[in-house]
PDB file of all heavy atoms in Angstrom:
ATOM      1  N   ALA A 127      -6.565  18.719  23.020  1.00 89.00           N
ATOM      2  CA  ALA A 127      -7.924  19.137  23.414  1.00 89.00           C
ATOM      3  C   ALA A 127      -7.848  19.851  24.748  1.00 89.00           C
ATOM      4  O   ALA A 127      -6.825  19.859  25.443  1.00 89.00           O
ATOM      5  CB  ALA A 127      -8.847  17.937  23.483  1.00 89.00           C
ATOM      6  N   ALA A 128      -8.957  20.460  25.123  1.00 89.00           N
ATOM      7  CA  ALA A 128      -9.119  21.074  26.441  1.00 89.00           C
ATOM      8  C   ALA A 128      -9.782  20.040  27.341  1.00 89.00           C
ATOM      9  O   ALA A 128     -10.989  19.827  27.291  1.00 89.00           O
ATOM     10  CB  ALA A 128      -9.965  22.344  26.346  1.00 89.00           C
ATOM     11  N   LEU A 129      -8.983  19.389  28.168  1.00 90.00           N
ATOM     12  CA  LEU A 129      -9.492  18.334  29.055  1.00 90.00           C
ATOM     13  C   LEU A 129     -10.064  18.957  30.319  1.00 90.00           C
ATOM     14  O   LEU A 129      -9.381  19.738  31.010  1.00 90.00           O
ATOM     15  CB  LEU A 129      -8.387  17.362  29.407  1.00 90.00           C
ATOM     16  CG  LEU A 129      -7.578  16.771  28.247  1.00 90.00           C
ATOM     17  CD1 LEU A 129      -6.547  15.792  28.769  1.00 90.00           C
ATOM     18  CD2 LEU A 129      -8.473  16.126  27.231  1.00 90.00           C
ATOM     19  N   VAL A 130     -11.304  18.607  30.641  1.00 89.00           N
ATOM     20  CA  VAL A 130     -11.972  19.172  31.815  1.00 89.00           C
ATOM     21  C   VAL A 130     -12.707  18.083  32.553  1.00 89.00           C
ATOM     22  O   VAL A 130     -12.985  17.001  32.020  1.00 89.00           O
ATOM     23  CB  VAL A 130     -12.966  20.288  31.408  1.00 89.00           C
ATOM     24  CG1 VAL A 130     -12.266  21.445  30.714  1.00 89.00           C
ATOM     25  CG2 VAL A 130     -14.081  19.725  30.528  1.00 89.00           C
ATOM     26  N   SER A 131     -13.020  18.346  33.806  1.00 86.00           N
ATOM     27  CA  SER A 131     -13.871  17.438  34.576  1.00 86.00           C
ATOM     28  C   SER A 131     -15.310  17.593  34.149  1.00 86.00           C
ATOM     29  O   SER A 131     -15.692  18.582  33.491  1.00 86.00           O
ATOM     30  CB  SER A 131     -13.736  17.726  36.068  1.00 86.00           C
ATOM     31  OG  SER A 131     -14.301  19.008  36.365  1.00 86.00           O
ATOM     32  N   LEU A 132     -16.151  16.638  34.532  1.00 84.00           N
ATOM     33  CA  LEU A 132     -17.563  16.705  34.160  1.00 84.00           C
ATOM     34  C   LEU A 132     -18.222  17.920  34.817  1.00 84.00           C
ATOM     35  O   LEU A 132     -19.032  18.601  34.174  1.00 84.00           O
ATOM     36  CB  LEU A 132     -18.269  15.415  34.602  1.00 84.00           C
ATOM     37  CG  LEU A 132     -19.762  15.340  34.278  1.00 84.00           C
ATOM     38  CD1 LEU A 132     -20.021  15.495  32.790  1.00 84.00           C
ATOM     39  CD2 LEU A 132     -20.338  14.015  34.780  1.00 84.00           C
ATOM     40  N   ASN A 133     -17.846  18.235  36.042  1.00 85.00           N
ATOM     41  CA  ASN A 133     -18.423  19.411  36.723  1.00 85.00           C
ATOM     42  C   ASN A 133     -18.052  20.702  35.979  1.00 85.00           C
ATOM     43  O   ASN A 133     -18.877  21.601  35.853  1.00 85.00           O
ATOM     44  CB  ASN A 133     -17.950  19.476  38.162  1.00 85.00           C
ATOM     45  CG  ASN A 133     -18.569  18.394  39.019  1.00 85.00           C
ATOM     46  OD1 ASN A 133     -19.653  17.887  38.715  1.00 85.00           O
ATOM     47  ND2 ASN A 133     -17.889  17.991  40.076  1.00 85.00           N
ATOM     48  N   THR A 134     -16.809  20.791  35.543  1.00 86.00           N
ATOM     49  CA  THR A 134     -16.393  21.992  34.792  1.00 86.00           C
ATOM     50  C   THR A 134     -17.139  22.074  33.468  1.00 86.00           C
ATOM     51  O   THR A 134     -17.559  23.167  33.046  1.00 86.00           O
ATOM     52  CB  THR A 134     -14.863  21.971  34.544  1.00 86.00           C
ATOM     53  OG1 THR A 134     -14.190  21.894  35.811  1.00 86.00           O
ATOM     54  CG2 THR A 134     -14.409  23.202  33.799  1.00 86.00           C
ATOM     55  N   ALA A 135     -17.321  20.938  32.805  1.00 84.00           N
ATOM     56  CA  ALA A 135     -18.068  20.921  31.536  1.00 84.00           C
ATOM     57  C   ALA A 135     -19.522  21.370  31.763  1.00 84.00           C
ATOM     58  O   ALA A 135     -20.073  22.120  30.940  1.00 84.00           O
ATOM     59  CB  ALA A 135     -18.033  19.540  30.920  1.00 84.00           C
ATOM     60  N   LYS A 136     -20.111  20.918  32.869  1.00 85.00           N
ATOM     61  CA  LYS A 136     -21.493  21.334  33.165  1.00 85.00           C
ATOM     62  C   LYS A 136     -21.559  22.841  33.363  1.00 85.00           C
ATOM     63  O   LYS A 136     -22.513  23.513  32.947  1.00 85.00           O
ATOM     64  CB  LYS A 136     -21.991  20.597  34.396  1.00 85.00           C
ATOM     65  CG  LYS A 136     -22.272  19.134  34.188  1.00 85.00           C
ATOM     66  CD  LYS A 136     -22.736  18.480  35.488  1.00 85.00           C
ATOM     67  CE  LYS A 136     -23.048  16.998  35.287  1.00 85.00           C
ATOM     68  NZ  LYS A 136     -23.451  16.358  36.574  1.00 85.00           N
ATOM     69  N   LYS A 137     -20.559  23.394  34.023  1.00 84.00           N
ATOM     70  CA  LYS A 137     -20.550  24.842  34.314  1.00 84.00           C
ATOM     71  C   LYS A 137     -20.368  25.644  33.029  1.00 84.00           C
ATOM     72  O   LYS A 137     -20.969  26.709  32.855  1.00 84.00           O
ATOM     73  CB  LYS A 137     -19.417  25.146  35.299  1.00 84.00           C
ATOM     74  CG  LYS A 137     -19.537  26.508  35.925  1.00 84.00           C
ATOM     75  CD  LYS A 137     -18.598  26.589  37.132  1.00 84.00           C
ATOM     76  CE  LYS A 137     -18.835  27.887  37.884  1.00 84.00           C
ATOM     77  NZ  LYS A 137     -17.997  27.982  39.091  1.00 84.00           N
ATOM     78  N   LEU A 138     -19.552  25.109  32.111  1.00 83.00           N
ATOM     79  CA  LEU A 138     -19.277  25.853  30.883  1.00 83.00           C
ATOM     80  C   LEU A 138     -20.355  25.666  29.842  1.00 83.00           C
ATOM     81  O   LEU A 138     -20.751  26.619  29.148  1.00 83.00           O
ATOM     82  CB  LEU A 138     -17.935  25.372  30.311  1.00 83.00           C
ATOM     83  CG  LEU A 138     -16.664  25.795  31.058  1.00 83.00           C
ATOM     84  CD1 LEU A 138     -15.454  25.050  30.497  1.00 83.00           C
ATOM     85  CD2 LEU A 138     -16.466  27.300  30.985  1.00 83.00           C
ATOM     86  N   LEU A 139     -20.878  24.443  29.703  1.00 80.00           N
ATOM     87  CA  LEU A 139     -21.782  24.124  28.596  1.00 80.00           C
ATOM     88  C   LEU A 139     -23.218  23.923  29.014  1.00 80.00           C
ATOM     89  O   LEU A 139     -24.112  23.840  28.161  1.00 80.00           O
ATOM     90  CB  LEU A 139     -21.304  22.854  27.894  1.00 80.00           C
ATOM     91  CG  LEU A 139     -19.862  22.835  27.372  1.00 80.00           C
ATOM     92  CD1 LEU A 139     -19.547  21.467  26.777  1.00 80.00           C
ATOM     93  CD2 LEU A 139     -19.647  23.926  26.344  1.00 80.00           C
ATOM     94  N   GLY A 140     -23.449  23.795  30.325  1.00 79.00           N
ATOM     95  CA  GLY A 140     -24.772  23.403  30.779  1.00 79.00           C
ATOM     96  C   GLY A 140     -24.819  21.897  30.969  1.00 79.00           C
ATOM     97  O   GLY A 140     -24.106  21.153  30.305  1.00 79.00           O
ATOM     98  N   GLU A 141     -25.672  21.446  31.861  1.00 71.00           N
ATOM     99  CA  GLU A 141     -25.687  20.044  32.240  1.00 71.00           C
ATOM    100  C   GLU A 141     -26.049  19.136  31.073  1.00 71.00           C
ATOM    101  O   GLU A 141     -25.431  18.092  30.868  1.00 71.00           O
ATOM    102  CB  GLU A 141     -26.664  19.808  33.399  1.00 71.00           C
ATOM    103  CG  GLU A 141     -26.636  18.389  33.910  1.00 71.00           C
ATOM    104  CD  GLU A 141     -27.338  18.246  35.247  1.00 71.00           C
ATOM    105  OE1 GLU A 141     -27.821  19.260  35.781  1.00 71.00           O
ATOM    106  OE2 GLU A 141     -27.417  17.103  35.734  1.00 71.00           O
ATOM    107  N   LYS A 142     -27.011  19.541  30.265  1.00 70.00           N
ATOM    108  CA  LYS A 142     -27.476  18.683  29.172  1.00 70.00           C
ATOM    109  C   LYS A 142     -26.371  18.430  28.148  1.00 70.00           C
ATOM    110  O   LYS A 142     -26.110  17.299  27.780  1.00 70.00           O
ATOM    111  CB  LYS A 142     -28.688  19.301  28.500  1.00 70.00           C
ATOM    112  CG  LYS A 142     -29.282  18.446  27.377  1.00 70.00           C
ATOM    113  CD  LYS A 142     -30.521  19.116  26.779  1.00 70.00           C
ATOM    114  CE  LYS A 142     -31.079  18.249  25.644  1.00 70.00           C
ATOM    115  NZ  LYS A 142     -32.267  18.872  25.024  1.00 70.00           N
ATOM    116  N   LYS A 143     -25.723  19.503  27.718  1.00 71.00           N
ATOM    117  CA  LYS A 143     -24.673  19.371  26.712  1.00 71.00           C
ATOM    118  C   LYS A 143     -23.461  18.656  27.288  1.00 71.00           C
ATOM    119  O   LYS A 143     -22.821  17.847  26.594  1.00 71.00           O
ATOM    120  CB  LYS A 143     -24.275  20.763  26.197  1.00 71.00           C
ATOM    121  CG  LYS A 143     -23.272  20.715  25.030  1.00 71.00           C
ATOM    122  CD  LYS A 143     -23.858  20.044  23.818  1.00 71.00           C
ATOM    123  CE  LYS A 143     -22.891  20.067  22.652  1.00 71.00           C
ATOM    124  NZ  LYS A 143     -23.433  19.343  21.480  1.00 71.00           N
TER     125      LYS A 143
END
Side-chain angles (χ1 to χ4, degrees):
L129 309 182
V130 299
S131 67
L132 181 58
N133 290 334
T134 301
K136 289 179 179 178
K137 195 166 188 177
L138 289 170
L139 305 177
E141 184 167 358
K142 182 178 179 181
K143 186 63 177 177

